[in-house]
Amino acid sequence: MQTIFALATARGKSGVAVLRISGPEAHEVARRLSGDLPGPGRFALRALRDAAGAVLDEALVLRFDAPRSFTGEDTVELQTHGSIAVIRAVEAAIAATGLARMAEPGEFTRRALLNGNLDLAQVEGLSDLIAAETEGQRRQAQSLFTGAMRDFVEDTRRDLLRAAALIEATIDFADEEVPVDVSPEVGALINGVIAAIDGQLSGFDGAEKLRAGFEVAIVGPPNAGKSTLLNRIAGREIAITSEIAGTTRDILEVRVDLQGLPVTFLDMAGLRESEDRLEQIGVARARERAAAADLRILLQDGTAQGAPFEPGLEIDLTYRTKADLTGEGVSGLTGDGVDRILSDVADRLAGRVTEGTVASHDRHRQAMQTARGALELAERAFTAGEGAEIIAYHLRDGLAALDSLIGRVDVEAVLGEIFAQFCIGK
Amino acid sequence: MKHERFDVIVIGGGHAGAEAAHAAARAGARTALVTMERAKIGVMSCNPAIGGLGKGHLVREIDAMGGIMGLAADRSGIQFRLLNRRKGPAVRGPRTQSDRALYRAAIQDLLADQPNLSIIEGEVADLIVEGGRIAGVRLADDSELPTVAVVLTTGTFLRGVIHIGDRRMDGGRMGDRPSQRLAQRLDALALPLGRLKTGTPPRLRSSSIAWDGLEMQPGDDDPTLFSFLSRAPSVRQISCGITHTNAKTHEIIAANLSRSAMYGGHIEGVGPRYCPSIEDKVVRFADKSSHQIFLEPEGLDSDVVYPNGISTSLPEDVQADYVHSIAGLEQAEILQPGYAIEYDYVDPQALDASLELPALRGLFLAGQINGTTGYEEAAAQGLMAGLNAARQARGEGPVILGRSDAYIGVLIDDLVTRGVSEPYRMFTSRAEYRLTLRADNADQRLTALADGLGLIDETRRAAFGEKMERLAAGRTVLENARFTPREVAETGITINQDGQRRNGMELLAFPDVTPTDLAPLIPELDEMQPEIREQLAIEALYKTYVDRQSRDAEALRRDENQVIPDALAYGEIGGLSNELRGKLERIRPRTLAQAGRIDGMTPAALALILTRIRQDERRRA
C-alpha cells in the first residue's frame, strides 16, 4: 500500500492550506519535514524544513493513527499558510522523501471505502456534500453521508429477514415445533417493505432534482418582459451561484438558491412563428427546453390587446407583466410582484421534494426497483399459494438487491434469525 | 514391523471413515481402514436415524456418486418418512429411522464386499512425516503402515470430555478410549483448534414405557428410499411414539440448573443452536410450557428407545426425575444416562477445498473433526476426502464440487471458506441453488460425473443409463405434443384462452396440472413408468427457475474459473484492509468466487485481487 498526499483545500491564495498525507509511511514522511510529531489525535506547531534544513513554513501538524482517521490509515495533515509558493515547496519536499506519491482524484475517499470507514452510499453522500450549493442540498447530502441509506437498508432488511426466516423455518424445520401458518405475518412484512420502497421511489424524482438542480423556464411572446424579469431575479438578494451561458446562444441561465433549493431560471427566445431560419431554430430549441423543464412560467404582456398568448406548452404559473405601465400584475422593471413569483416557484418546487427520501442517485433507484420487482413476485407467489421454496427464492433476490445499496446478503443471517425466535431441536 | 504399502489409509471407522475408505478403494487406490475395533465400524453414536431436510439431499448425492450410506440406510430402515411431503419437491427430504444393528451390519458388509480395501484393527498412535508430507502411520504396537495419503476421521476423539452433571471423564463416545497420542501429534502441527459440545438424551428401556396411552407416528404408506438402486424397504416397518414435557418437567429442570454441566459452568464448548439440550429449551424458551419428544426404537429387536428431544448434561438422579414426570415415561428405566460431550475440532478454514491440510500435504480431514455434526455431513466429507486422497495417490488432480453442483459442494465450501462457530449442520436454506439441487435429481447431477471418476459400478451404470434414456424419451414426447388452449380446456383443465399453443412440459409447469390431468391429451403418459412421469413433472414445475439459476451459475462459474494462485502476495495488494488481508492469508481462497464468499468481503476488494492477479500474469508473460 503506497502512501499518498495531496492538497486538500483549493489551490490559490488563501489564509490556510491543508495538505493531507495518508498511508503506512505518512508519519515518517511528516517526521522528515517537521522533526517529531505530536501524539495520536493531537496537533502541534512545527517548522517544516526541506532535506537541506531550510525552513519552508510554520505549520500546524495534525496526527491521526489508523484506523481512527478519514481513510482508516495513518494520516498526517499539515496546515500551512495558503501561499501558492509555500504549497509548491512543501509538496516538493514531501515528494523528495521518495516515500509518498501524489494522490489521484478521489483516492482518499476510495481508501476510506476500501477500509470500510464509509459504505458506498456514504461515498455518494460525501461527493454530494462537497458539491452542495444550497441548504436543501446540504441537508440531503448530509443525511446520505451520515448513513441514512444504511438505516433504510437495515430497516427493510430486518423485515425481509424476518419474513425469510419464517418461510425457511417452515421448510427446514418442518418436523419441529415452529408455527405452521406464518402467512399473515409474512404477507404483512413483504407488503410493508414494498410500501417503504414505493415511498422512496415516489420521492426519487424530487430528491434527484434537489441534488442536480431544478429548471424553471420563463416563456412568453417576444417582448413580454422575460429578460427584464430574469435580470431582476439575478439582481435580487438571492445568491447567484453561477451564471452559465446557454447551450444555445438564445437560452440564458441564471442559477439561484431559492429558499434552499437549487433553481436555474431559463430565459429563452419569445415563442412565435417566424420566417427567419435562425429564429425558427431558436424557437424550436426554446420549446424543447421549456418542455423538459421542471416548471414553466408564462409571462403575458400586460399591455397587449386581444386574446391572451397561446404558448402551445403546458404552463404551471402565469403572470401579467408590465405592472409599471398598467398598474396590475408584476413588473420586472420595478420589482413589483417578483417576490410573489419567487415564492410561488419555491412553493411549487418544494412540494416535489419529499422529506426523508434517501434515494437520490440513479443507482439507488435501479436497485430499489429490482428489489421491488422481486418482492412483487414473492407477494404474487404467496397470494397464489405457490410453494414456500418459490417465495423464498424471490425473497432472497429482493434481499440481495436491497443489500447491493450498501453491502451483501448472507444465509447465516437468515438462520440466525430462525434460531433466535423458535425453539428448534428435538 | 512393516506392513504392505497402501495408497490411502483411512483412520477411523465412523460414517466419514467408512465412506472415505469405500470411495478411495472405488477410485482405484489400495486402501486400508484402520480402526480400534472392527465391530464398531458404522456405529450410530447419536440418534438412530438417517436423512432429513438437507441431510437427505446429502445422502442422495452420496448414493448418486456410488457411496454406501444410502444403501445401508435402506437395508436397515424401519420407518421411512418423506419430510415436507406437502411442500415443493425441491424441499422434500427423505428420512428413516434405522435399526442400529442392521445399519452397522450393512456398512460392514458393504465394506467387506469392496475390492481393494483392507480393514486393520489397531490404534493409530502417530503419523509418519517425511520431507514435510505424510509417509505413513505408526500403530500403538509400533508397527508402521507406509502410505501416500491419510484421511483422518477421528470424530470427537480429540480431547473428548464427557460430562454428566458435575462428573466428567475423558472419552469420545461412552466406553471408548480417547486417542491422546494422536492428539499430541496434531498439536505439533499448530493447527487452529476450536471447542464444541454436543449432547445426548438418556436411553430408555422400551418395555418400561407405557406405549398404550401415547400418540404413535407411523412411517409413510409409500416409503421413499435413499438409494437410486433401492425399490422397497428390506425389513418390517414400525412406528415411533410421541410424548411431551410438561410444567412439572420444566420445574424439575429449572430447580436443578446449577447441577447441569452446561449451566454449572463446566463446559466451555459451543453447542448447536438447532439441537439444544432440554436445559437450554427450558431457559431460552421459558414461555413454552411443553416440548415435543419422539420416542424412537433403536431397532426391531432392541429394547432400547432413544427419546429424541431431551438431551441433557444434568446429573443422573435429576434425569430420572424429569423423565418420570413425562406422560408414558412414569416407570421408564434409564439404561444409559444422557451426557454432554466436549471436543476439539480443527478450524476447517485451515483445509483446502479438497479437504487436504496444506500444513501437512497428504493429510485429509473429514467429519466431525472439521466442526460438523451429523452422520450425513460426515459421510459427504468422507466421500470427497477419500476420493481426493486416492486421486492424489494416483497422481491425479483434486475433484471439487461447486455450490451450484451439489449440497456436498455447499457443505465443503461453507466449511473451508467461512469456518464454523457451532457444530455445522446442513439445511436446505444454505443452498442458493436449492431449486436446482434436489434430492430427486441427484443422480442426474452427479452420477455421470462420478462415473467419469471411476466411482460407479456396472450395476449402477446400467440402471442410470436406462433411466436417462427413459427420461429423454419422455421429455421428447411431452415437448413435441402441442395444444391450443381450447384443446386443453376441453379436458377440464382451467387455462387462459390466450391463443398460445403450449407443449406438454409447459402445461405441466402450471402448479395445479398433474400428469394424470394431461393423460387424455398425451396417452403416452399412461405408459410411462410412474417414476419417470413424476420426474418429468418436477422438471416442468421448476423449469423457469432452474433455467434462471443455471444462468446465475454460469456467472458464478466464471468467477470459479478465475483461479487465485497459491502464492498471491496479499500483503502487497494496496487497498486491502488489514482484517480482510488476514482472512485471505488464512483461508487462501482457491478461486475468485470463493474469495467473494469470505465474511466481510467487498466488491472493491475483489476487484483489487483480480487486478493483482492480472498484473502478476503480465509480469510473468
Side-chain angles (χ1 to χ4, degrees), chain A residues 220-245:
Chain A
N223 207 20
K226 300 186 294 298
S227 297
T228 314
L229 176 66
L230 189 77
N231 286 337
R232 174 57 70 169
I233 290 171
R236 294 195 76 89
E237 287 185 19
I238 37 180
I240 302 174
T241 53
S242 59
E243 234 173 306
I244 309 155

Side-chain angles (χ1 to χ4, degrees), chain A residues 1-2 66 73 111 113-116 167-168 170-178 377 381 386-390 392-394 396-397 407-412 414-426, chain B residues 53 81 83-84 87-91 95 273-276 281 284-285 288 290-292 294 308-310 418 422 425 427-432 434-435 511 542 545 548-549 574-575 577 596-598 601 604-605 608:
Chain A
M1 177 62 103
Q2 283 178 301
E73 306 171 329
R111 291 192 176 186
L113 176 69
L114 287 168
N115 288 322
I167 298 256
E168 295 289 1
T170 65
I171 295 176
D172 268 336
F173 303 98
D175 55 346
E176 304 271 359
E177 295 163 283
V178 293
L377 288 172
E386 284 187 55
E389 77 279 17
I390 305 284
Y393 173 88
H394 294 305
R396 205 179 273 234
D397 265 8
R408 10 184 289 128
V409 81
D410 186 355
V411 56
E412 274 296 328
V414 177
L415 287 173
E417 182 75 16
I418 295 177
F419 294 131
Q421 293 183 27
F422 308 118
C423 180
I424 299 290
K426 285 176 266 183
Chain B
L53 296 161
R81 281 200 309 133
L83 303 186
N84 278 347
K87 293 207 172 66
V91 293
R95 179 190 193 273
R273 288 172 296 180
Y274 40 79
C275 196
K281 291 186 189 183
R284 283 179 46 211
F285 298 93
K288 289 204 68 165
S290 166
H291 295 280
Q292 194 168 243
F294 288 87
N308 202 342
I310 51 169
R418 315 199 55 152
E422 67 183 324
R425 175 186 150 180
F427 299 107
T428 69
S429 47
R430 293 194 193 274
E432 298 86 339
R434 176 163 64 188
L435 302 183
Y542 288 119
Y545 298 101
R548 241 186 92 181
Q549 292 205 319
S577 71
R597 291 188 292 270
I598 292 175
M601 181 58 65
L608 287 173

